[in-house]
Amino acid sequence: MSNFTVQKRRQKLKRVLEPIQIREQFTAKQIKEICFDVAPAFVTRTIQQLVEDRVVEVYETEGVIKWRDEPSEFVADHWIDRRIHGTQITQSPEQERPRERLLKIGAAQLRTAELIAILVRTGRQGESALQVGERIANRFGNQLGSLPGQGPAELKRLSTAVSEPAYCQIMAGIELGRRVAAATQDASHEKVRITGSAEAIDYCRREFSRLVQDRQQEEFHIVTLDTKHQPIATHQISVGTLDASLVHPREVFRPAIRDAAAAIVIVHNHPSGDPTPSREDRKVMQVLTDAGELIGIKLLDSIIVAANRCISMRECKQDQ
């Protein structure tokens, strides 16, 4: 949009807003009569935008329109800027643009809303990407950990600017952050050795914290271990209700053989929050224990992670 076009639209919006701001209530007809030099359709559209932004509201009685708050609290220039540059952060002052701020001061110094805005990339008419970021950040507040569990529809209800690509970018950013954090944490600690249930629980609690946070559906993973019982890698085997048919020994031990593992730990979550082993849990563990003995890869333990706590099925079996 050229500067001339921007200035022309700004003047038209100011022309319509001036008579509105000095009235406690009005009708569209009244404003059209006053703004006789502005197209009636433009006046109607401007009033509709004020209603959409919840600046004013329409009462059923003869189409009377009233301010939701005091007219003096309404800053016309700010509202006009949002309407003109709402989807164009690049036309905002450079020092206020999230990307430029990131390059200047670093990502760690940006507010959550700014980080989300960078991932969303573009807003919609009347709402910039930064405003979308503010809306999402305010919605989750101190419960930001629940953001990864939101589906596309949930975020789209907060703002139609969260399109499918924007949703994918947000979720990819979250997952990348998790992996970087996990890698950083691993690098700052001595190499873990899992020689018993306590170490297995501690490792799985840290490595699979996402399964506790998301708690949407059951997932089954394995941790492959070398001859010193140090973790080699983690592999997702299945997603969905745990069933022996979903975790066939062939599927479980294939990545373990590929990793040349000496032992494995299996881990799955209970979305209900209760880590108590089910009959199917015990059945799966026994089948995999027997299969591991046949091929020479020991099943060291089976860990269940849940919101309340993590438990070792080996320890549960010993307590019985």
Side-chain angles (χ1 to χ4, degrees):
M1 190 183 296
S2 68
N3 287 336
F4 176 77
T5 303
V6 167
Q7 291 304 318
K8 187 174 180 180
R9 187 179 176 201
R10 183 182 295 277
Q11 290 172 1
K12 288 170 66 177
L13 287 169
K14 280 188 173 182
R15 177 74 177 93
V16 175
L17 291 175
E18 283 171 357
I20 291 177
Q21 284 186 276
I22 61 175
R23 288 167 169 76
E24 291 186 359
Q25 62 181 49
F26 56 90
T27 65
K29 182 180 179 182
Q30 289 173 340
I31 304 304
K32 288 176 183 177
E33 290 174 351
I34 297 169
C35 301
F36 56 87
D37 52 339
V38 179
F42 185 86
V43 175
T44 299
R45 189 160 60 250
T46 301
I47 293 174
Q48 287 175 341
Q49 290 169 346
L50 288 168
V51 173
E52 290 173 4
D53 290 345
R54 299 177 67 81
V55 175
V56 299
E57 54 188 343
V58 181
Y59 286 77
E60 294 182 1
T61 309
E62 300 177 357
V64 173
I65 303 168
K66 296 182 180 181
W67 291 88
R68 293 182 64 88
D69 299 308
E70 290 296 324
S72 59
E73 297 180 5
F74 176 70
V75 182
D77 286 339
H78 290 177
W79 186 83
I80 291 172
D81 283 340
R82 288 199 301 271
R83 276 293 154 188
I84 295 177
H85 304 306
T87 59
Q88 304 174 42
I89 286 182
T90 54
Q91 297 200 33
S92 301
E94 185 171 331
Q95 66 272 20
E96 296 179 8
R97 302 177 202 166
R99 291 180 190 172
E100 281 73 7
R101 278 172 49 75
L102 186 150
L103 292 172
K104 185 177 181 179
I105 63 176
Q109 302 302 315
L110 266 60
R111 295 179 295 114
T112 300
E114 293 176 299
L115 295 173
I116 295 174
I118 292 173
L119 294 170
V120 171
R121 296 186 61 183
T122 59
R124 61 182 175 88
Q125 183 63 36
E127 186 176 42
S128 70
L130 183 54
Q131 289 170 314
V132 176
E134 295 280 7
R135 189 185 293 270
I136 294 174
N138 290 337
R139 161 65 179 79
F140 291 97
N142 295 327
Q143 298 180 326
L144 200 59
S146 62
L147 178 57
Q150 305 302 306
E154 284 82 3
L155 292 189
K156 191 146 188 124
R157 276 198 288 270
L158 294 177
S159 173
T160 55
V162 185
S163 60
E164 187 173 285
Y167 174 81
C168 291
Q169 285 157 192
I170 291 172
M171 293 302 152
I174 291 171
E175 182 57 31
L176 180 59
R178 280 174 171 165
R179 296 185 186 187
V180 170
T184 302
Q185 187 177 43
D186 286 346
S188 65
H189 290 81
E190 293 183 6
K191 190 70 174 178
V192 175
R193 290 190 66 194
I194 301 176
T195 57
S197 297
E199 292 92 344
I201 290 173
D202 186 60
Y203 178 84
C204 292
R205 182 187 291 112
R206 184 175 66 253
E207 184 70 21
F208 297 97
S209 60
R210 177 184 63 82
L211 299 184
V212 177
Q213 293 169 358
D214 291 356
R215 290 191 292 168
Q216 288 187 321
Q217 53 189 334
E218 209 160 327
E219 295 184 20
F220 186 92
H221 298 248
I222 70 167
V223 181
T224 54
L225 308 173
D226 62 18
T227 54
K228 295 182 179 179
H229 284 190
Q230 296 175 332
I232 301 171
T234 64
H235 302 274
Q236 184 183 79
I237 305 302
S238 70
V239 177
T241 303
L242 186 63
D243 184 273
S245 63
L246 295 177
V247 288
H248 190 280
R250 178 180 58 250
E251 306 303 323
V252 173
F253 286 99
R254 180 180 290 132
I257 294 171
R258 189 167 56 244
D259 289 352
I264 64 170
V265 171
I266 61 176
V267 54
H268 73 282
N269 63 318
H270 280 187
S272 66
D274 180 4
T276 305
S278 66
R279 180 180 300 176
E280 193 66 31
D281 292 339
R282 299 182 188 283
K283 178 181 177 182
V284 167
M285 182 178 178
Q286 188 58 56
V287 168
L288 295 179
T289 297
D290 294 342
E293 289 177 355
L294 285 174
I295 61 177
I297 298 178
K298 182 179 180 181
L299 174 56
L300 190 66
D301 207 337
S302 176
I303 305 299
I304 300 175
V305 298
N308 296 330
R309 61 194 177 99
C310 301
I311 69 165
S312 156
M313 289 188 62
R314 286 284 185 216
E315 288 186 342
C316 289
K317 192 173 182 180
Q318 292 171 3
D319 291 341
Q320 290 180 343

